[in-house]
Amino acid sequence: VQLQASGGGLVQAGGSLRLSCAASGRSFSRYAMGWFRQAPGKEREFVAAISWNAVSTYYTNSVKDRFAISRDNAKNAVYLQMNSLKPEDTAVYYCASDRFGYSSNLRTANDMYEYWGQGTQVTVSS
């Protein structure tokens, strides 16, 4: 399984970015997907997750009402729309594929995700 994240960049505070993650190698549509991020000197943390059928989403509190996760199973892709960006959103963002197919549970722990993309840098200037 390969996950390729893209769309990161440098943006001013209050701006927007849309991250994309392209998947290949297994039945993408069977698995929940998540976005995580890791800031310098910090552990990787959960950002958002979406169920295999896009019915359910879940966000960490700090990004609620600013970020939106979505997916297009026909294109084997998951997205993270990030609005009203803040300097504290600066991090490397990773997409990841859940371990369990067709699960209705949205997980936030790193070890519940089996495959990871390479990460894309998001830098928000003040």
Side-chain angles (χ1 to χ4, degrees), residues 1-3 22-31 76 97 115:
V1 177
Q2 290 189 333
L3 300 175
S24 62
R26 74 169 178 179
S27 298
F28 172 81
S29 62
R30 298 180 186 176
Y31 298 89
N76 283 3
S97 178
Y115 298 103

Side-chain angles (χ1 to χ4, degrees), residues 43-122:
E43 294 187 352
R44 188 163 55 190
E45 64 172 358
F46 170 80
V47 175
I50 187 167
S51 61
W52 61 275
N53 56 3
V55 169
S56 301
T57 58
Y58 184 72
Y59 301 90
T60 192
N61 285 340
S62 63
V63 308
K64 281 181 182 177
D65 301 322
R66 299 189 298 122
F67 290 12
I69 188 171
S70 61
R71 67 189 297 162
D72 186 337
N73 286 343
K75 295 182 178 180
N76 283 3
V78 63
Y79 309 98
L80 186 67
Q81 178 67 43
M82 305 186 296
N83 300 324
S84 301
L85 282 160
K86 303 176 181 181
E88 51 264 43
D89 295 317
T90 295
V92 177
Y93 283 71
Y94 299 89
C95 57
S97 178
D98 192 282
R99 291 186 180 274
F100 306 101
Y102 296 127
S103 172
S104 59
N105 295 325
L106 294 180
R107 286 167 257 271
T108 63
N110 284 255
D111 60 2
M112 290 291 103
Y113 288 80
E114 186 169 12
Y115 298 103
W116 294 80
Q118 86 290 357
T120 185
Q121 176 71 48
V122 172

